[in-house]
């Protein structure tokens, strides 16, 4: 059984909040930081432009900062990109990699995900590797196969730094932003499978988060499972009340 002494509550703000909205929400969360149980590891992934001021506010109350995406080069003529190194300099501890919106809307391949993952590790950030099957793959009974391909591409022959946690987010594509959350028992089954595969590939026991339409009403159903170490939340993390209700559900 995984160590469940820590519960991971990770908030992916995506492109939902502009600069002012991000700062307002970060300050409001910081003002309520005393009500966050000590067992919770919280990280916020704001938009790139809001990241620096949001990070300053969160740092003072012990909430971590993360990047939603990185580029694998450190510096160069890569118009529009932001490198893992630059996110590190801006105060990030974590970086998402292979989020399904990156894979599907921006056509990121498994090999690009791997290059990003290695750049994140090189910069001493902790990656959060997202994997998930599409609705079509699930309908065709190819869920396990789809996940195994993504997990293998991410971890095959990787040298994992000893000082770094290995965090995977299981996020079924059909459950993201749709309101259709995955059945918690099914999510637990997938977490067991991912755990087994990651251990076989790396020898490391991963932390595995569930993501996909998590909200205050369903979060406890996920967290009670032995292999669900926390949640990665999109929509419901962008509103103070629903985010603090998710936090409250941990107790
Ligand atoms: P959602 O997004 O909570 O809005 O479904 C989750 C995610 O994409 O990480």
């Amino acid at each position: 059984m995984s160590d469940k002494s820590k519960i991971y509550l990770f908030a992916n703000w995506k492109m939902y909040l502009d600069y002012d909205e991000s700062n307002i929400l970060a300050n409001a969360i910081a003002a309520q930081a005393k009500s966050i149980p000590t067992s919770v590891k919280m990280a916020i992934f704001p938009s790139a432009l809001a990241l620096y001021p949001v990070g300053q506010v969160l740092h003072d109350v012990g909430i971590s900062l993360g990047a939603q995406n990185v580029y694998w080069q450190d510096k160069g003529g890569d118009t529009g990109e932001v490198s893992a190194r630059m996110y590190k300099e801006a105060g990030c501890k974590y970086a998402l990699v292979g989020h399904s919106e990156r894979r599907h809307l921006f056509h990121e391949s498994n090999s690009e995900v791997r290059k990003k993952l290695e750049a994140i590790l090189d910069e001493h950030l902790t990656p959060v590797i997202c994997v998930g099957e599409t609705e079509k793959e699930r309908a065709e009974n190819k869920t396990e196969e789809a996940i195994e391909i993504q997990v293998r591409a991410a971890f095959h022959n990787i040298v994992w730094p000893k000082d770094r946690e290995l965090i995977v987010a299981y996020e079924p594509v059909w459950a993201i932003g749709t309101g259709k959350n995955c059945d918690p028992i099914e999510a637990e089954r997938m977490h067991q499978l991912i755990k087994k595969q990651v251990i076989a590939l790396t020898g490391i026991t991963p932390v595995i988060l569930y993501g996909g339409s998590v909200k205050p009403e369903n979060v406890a159903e996920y967290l009670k499972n032995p292999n669900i170490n926390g949640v990665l939340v999109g929509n419901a993390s962008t509103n103070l009340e629903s985010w603090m209700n998710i936090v409250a559900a941990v107790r």
Side-chain angles (χ1 to χ4, degrees):
M1 202 160 112
S2 304
D3 170 20
K4 291 211 46 172
S5 60
K6 290 281 174 208
I7 300 289
Y8 294 69
L9 299 182
F10 283 12
N12 176 10
W13 288 355
K14 308 191 181 185
M15 210 178 69
Y16 284 126
L17 304 176
D18 66 22
Y19 186 84
D20 286 342
E21 290 163 340
S22 301
N23 283 299
I24 290 167
L25 182 55
N27 277 288
I29 294 169
Q32 295 197 23
K34 285 204 171 61
S35 66
I36 302 172
T38 51
S39 60
V40 168
K41 269 200 187 189
M42 188 183 287
I44 309 273
F45 298 74
S47 78
L49 282 183
L51 194 130
Y52 190 73
V54 164
Q56 302 285 80
V57 169
L58 299 180
H59 180 261
D60 294 342
V61 293
I63 299 173
S64 301
L65 188 67
Q68 295 180 13
N69 177 39
V70 307
Y71 193 58
W72 55 79
Q73 303 280 11
D74 295 339
K75 274 185 169 180
D78 303 289
T79 303
E81 295 295 333
V82 181
S83 68
R85 177 171 298 178
M86 290 167 177
Y87 279 112
K88 172 79 182 176
E89 283 169 357
C92 285
K93 173 171 184 188
Y94 298 101
L96 300 183
V97 59
H99 187 278
S100 80
E101 283 152 11
R102 300 297 319 170
R103 290 182 192 264
H104 297 285
L105 297 177
F106 301 97
H107 310 291
E108 264 181 32
S109 66
N110 276 325
S111 69
E112 287 170 325
V113 169
R114 174 65 179 249
K115 281 202 257 184
K116 291 183 176 196
L117 173 57
E118 289 177 3
I120 291 166
L121 290 175
D122 285 348
E123 295 305 329
H124 302 273
L125 291 162
T126 300
V128 178
I129 303 100
C130 306
V131 297
E133 80 285 1
T134 62
E135 187 145 44
K136 183 166 177 283
E137 285 161 342
R138 176 155 289 258
E140 291 171 354
N141 265 329
K142 291 188 178 147
T143 299
E144 289 80 358
E145 190 187 325
I147 300 301
E148 277 176 16
I149 290 169
Q150 291 168 31
V151 170
R152 175 168 300 280
F155 299 112
H156 177 65
N157 279 343
I158 201 152
V159 180
W160 202 264
K162 287 202 173 61
D163 63 349
R164 225 70 51 80
E165 277 185 303
L166 196 162
I167 308 178
V168 177
Y170 170 58
E171 299 204 303
V173 180
W174 50 270
I176 294 180
T178 59
K180 290 193 284 181
N181 58 300
C182 179
D183 178 64
I185 306 291
E186 169 62 4
E188 167 66 14
R189 188 181 75 80
M190 292 307 298
H191 282 224
Q192 285 170 15
L193 197 124
I194 292 167
K195 183 177 172 184
K196 220 171 129 189
Q197 202 192 353
V198 170
I199 292 175
L201 287 165
T202 66
I204 297 165
T205 303
V207 165
I208 312 181
L209 318 182
Y210 168 77
S213 298
V214 172
K215 28 189 180 264
E217 306 83 68
N218 63 26
V219 65
E221 283 301 302
Y222 291 103
L223 297 179
K224 71 183 190 195
N225 292 284
N227 291 292
I228 300 184
N229 302 99
V231 285
L232 177 56
V233 187
N235 215 354
S237 72
T238 59
N239 167 286
L240 180 67
E241 194 187 339
S242 67
W243 183 238
M244 293 316 292
N245 283 338
I246 286 174
V247 174
V250 169
R251 271 192 232 103

